Amino acid sequence: MSRDPWRILEEEILNCTKCKLHMYRRRAVPGEGNRNSVLVFIGEAPGEKEDEQGRPFVGPAGKLLTELIESTGYRREDFYITNIVKCRPPGNRDPEDDEINACLPYLIKQLELVKPRIIVCLGRHSARTIFKLAGLKWTNMSTQHGKVYSIRLFNFNVKIIPTYHPAAALYNPQLKSSLEEDFKKSIKPVLSEVLEARSVKKTLLDFSCEKKSSLLK
Ligand code: URA
Ligand code: SF4
């Protein structure tokens, strides 16, 4: 029997030494949540609390992210949450390009497994990395946050929405209102649209199955 691809991937991340961040971490943080989610949140890197607990977004920025998610009427467990790099940079410095590049195959594998319809990039490092991966032009957060970029990525259609990092919004009320607005005016409506389309498709499928089975009777 073949082994669970998620287990293999997580074990690989937990034991990874592909970049220098492995020297400083307590625990690598692969990601968590609904592996069949239509939406994936991608942050930057684990912070202190995440490094301690081995879970993403469990510190103060995580508390804000959870509140923002709940403001859309969903719970954080409904979605998959991960980061660009899986190990904490010392002193919470920005992740460097060689670290991002070394870690990227793990994120790509996660996206291939989840096949989300929506990717929300939290913060500029997440956005610039995902935009590059998608072949999109990244300029800056102030002009691009809250916009919806529909593209094809690894054989599936996906909508990419960049927004501010919750940690940046914690002490900046203006960024916090932009972040709240992006959740309200972009993320929530796009999510409803995708889920609606999915339920229509399911109803049509159920209908054609019913029709087939009644024809068989
Ligand atoms: N900031 C991030 O980008 N990711 C986390 O998991 C926590 C804080
Ligand atoms: Fe490996 Fe990524 Fe951790 Fe670097 S950040 S050691 S590539 S898991």
Side-chain angles (χ1 to χ4, degrees):
M1 209 178 80
S2 69
R3 289 186 63 213
D4 172 12
W6 279 103
R7 234 177 113 173
I8 297 171
L9 181 62
E10 291 189 348
E11 265 172 33
E12 212 179 309
I13 294 171
L14 294 175
N15 297 311
C16 179
T17 55
K18 283 200 301 176
C19 85
K20 56 189 177 303
L21 293 181
H22 85 275
M23 296 189 290
Y24 311 101
R25 72 167 179 235
R26 271 180 285 191
R27 293 207 217 182
V29 181
E32 69 177 22
N34 177 1
R35 293 166 175 178
N36 299 310
S37 174
V38 292
L39 184 153
V40 171
F41 287 100
I42 305 176
E44 180 178 317
E48 193 186 358
K49 290 270 176 264
E50 291 76 20
D51 177 66
E52 231 172 71
Q53 296 185 32
R55 297 178 53 209
F57 283 99
V58 287
K63 186 166 174 282
L64 177 57
L65 177 63
T66 305
E67 285 166 15
L68 289 160
I69 292 174
E70 286 170 357
S71 76
T72 64
Y74 293 89
R75 299 160 307 162
R76 71 177 261 156
E77 311 85 85
D78 292 327
F79 306 113
Y80 192 74
I81 303 176
T82 188
N83 285 300
I84 295 287
V85 296
K86 315 302 190 198
C87 302
R88 181 193 182 201
N92 293 350
R93 66 157 169 74
D94 288 350
E96 292 167 1
D97 282 347
D98 59 323
E99 297 156 357
I100 293 178
N101 292 335
C103 212
L104 204 54
Y106 297 132
L107 181 66
I108 292 173
K109 186 78 202 169
Q110 288 171 323
L111 293 173
E112 283 172 346
L113 288 170
V114 180
K115 291 193 175 56
R117 294 285 159 232
I118 307 163
I119 295 174
V120 176
C121 302
L122 301 166
R124 66 193 170 92
H125 290 293
S126 171
R128 71 177 173 90
T129 306
I130 298 301
F131 270 56
K132 191 170 166 200
L133 193 64
L136 292 167
K137 186 170 158 41
W138 178 251
T139 310
N140 57 47
M141 197 56 93
S142 54
T143 54
Q144 286 172 277
H145 75 93
K147 294 199 174 139
V148 183
Y149 297 82
S150 299
I151 57 134
R152 215 168 156 73
L153 186 69
F154 321 128
N155 286 332
F156 54 93
N157 295 323
V158 64
K159 294 176 194 295
I160 301 177
I161 309 175
T163 190
Y164 291 100
H165 195 289
L170 278 178
Y171 305 104
N172 184 331
Q174 222 173 328
L175 286 194
K176 191 171 176 209
S177 26
S178 298
L179 185 57
E180 285 166 350
E181 191 159 301
D182 288 349
F183 267 77
K184 193 168 156 194
K185 297 200 177 147
S186 304
I187 300 169
K188 189 177 177 185
V190 169
L191 188 55
S192 307
E193 184 192 307
V194 166
L195 290 171
E196 176 87 359
R198 187 164 273 206
S199 85
V200 168
K201 207 160 137 195
K202 188 176 174 307
T203 312
L204 286 174
L205 270 174
D206 289 349
F207 179 68
S208 73
C209 288
E210 265 167 37
K211 234 168 108 181
K212 261 190 220 136
S213 62
S214 66
L215 283 174
L216 289 173
K217 270 181 203 151

